[in-house]
Amino acid sequence: MSAVTLFGTLDALGTFVFGLSGAMVAIRKRLDLFGVLVLATATGVAGGMTRDLLLGDTPPAVFRSALPLGMACAAGLFTFFFGALLDRMQRPVMFLDAVGLGVFAIAGCQKALMLGLTPPGAILLGVITAVGGGMLRDMMVSEVPRVLREEVYALAALSGAAAYVGCLALGLSTTLAAVIGGALAVILRLASVRFGWHLPRAPWF
C-alpha cells in the first residue's frame, strides 16, 4: 500500500471512529439529533483540521472534500440509531477513543512526513492530530479534556507515532509500520486504564 493510500485510509477511519466516540458522549449527555451530529463532526474533524493548519495545507481537507464531513456525520447517524450495539461494549467511549487515538497518531505523523517535516516534528504533529478531536469534544460538553486527566493519553499517541517513525527508519513497509505504531498506541491506552497506569503527580499537593 502506498503512503498516500495509507494516509487516506487512516484519515477516513480515524474520522469515523472519533465521530462514533463524540456521538456516544452526546447521547449520554442527552443531546438531540442535531447535537449528536455536531459533536460527532467536531470530534471527527478537529484533529485533522488542526494538523492541516499547522502544516500550511490550507484550506484544510475538511473544506476541500466531502469525505471527512460525510464520515463524521455517518458515524453520528449510526450511533444515534444503533448506538445500543456500541453500548454493549465495556466503556465504549474509552475504547473508541483509544482506537481513534492510535489511528490519527499515525495519520498525522504520515502526512507530516509526506510534507517534508523532520521525524521529531512529524511525531509532534501526530500527537496533536490524535488528541485534538477528543479535547474539543470534552470541552464542548464542559468536561476537563482526557488528555489532561486520564492515565496515559497523549503519551500513548506519542509512543505510537515514535514507533511508526522508528519502523520506517528500520526499512519496514509503511503498512506494517502503521500497524505496529497504531497497535502500540491503542494497547498502551487500554492497558493504562485496565491497570491504572498514570504519570507522576506533584508529591506535595
Side-chain angles (χ1 to χ4, degrees), residues 1-95:
M1 185 183 294
S2 70
V4 174
T5 303
L6 176 65
F7 168 74
T9 302
L10 290 175
D11 213 38
L13 178 60
T15 300
F16 185 78
V17 173
F18 263 133
L20 291 176
S21 76
M24 284 296 296
V25 170
I27 289 172
R28 290 183 172 183
K29 294 292 184 178
R30 305 298 298 170
L31 303 186
D32 61 14
L33 176 58
F34 181 75
V36 170
L37 291 176
V38 168
L39 205 58
T41 301
T43 309
V45 306
M49 284 184 63
T50 304
R51 173 201 64 211
D52 291 348
L53 290 171
L54 289 174
L55 289 172
D57 184 18
T58 55
V62 66
F63 299 124
R64 289 185 274 118
S65 169
L67 183 61
L69 284 177
M71 294 296 287
C73 288
L77 289 172
F78 177 84
T79 307
F80 186 83
F81 291 106
F82 305 106
L85 299 176
L86 296 175
D87 205 40
R88 292 174 185 173
M89 296 188 302
Q90 186 178 15
R91 303 185 71 172
V93 173
M94 186 275 294
F95 177 78

Side-chain angles (χ1 to χ4, degrees), residues 78-153:
F78 177 84
T79 307
F80 186 83
F81 291 106
F82 305 106
L85 299 176
L86 296 175
D87 205 40
R88 292 174 185 173
M89 296 188 302
Q90 186 178 15
R91 303 185 71 172
V93 173
M94 186 275 294
F95 177 78
L96 292 170
D97 210 43
V99 174
L101 190 79
V103 171
F104 262 178
I106 305 305
C109 186
Q110 174 58 32
K111 183 165 186 177
L113 290 173
M114 288 167 57
L115 293 182
L117 263 69
T118 62
I123 292 170
L124 179 59
L125 253 294
V127 175
I128 292 172
T129 306
V131 304
M135 287 186 65
L136 181 60
R137 175 200 63 210
D138 294 343
M139 290 188 292
M140 289 178 71
V141 294
S142 301
E143 293 183 358
V144 177
R146 282 176 169 80
V147 68
L148 301 179
R149 61 182 170 85
E150 292 287 334
E151 294 85 350
V152 175
Y153 195 84

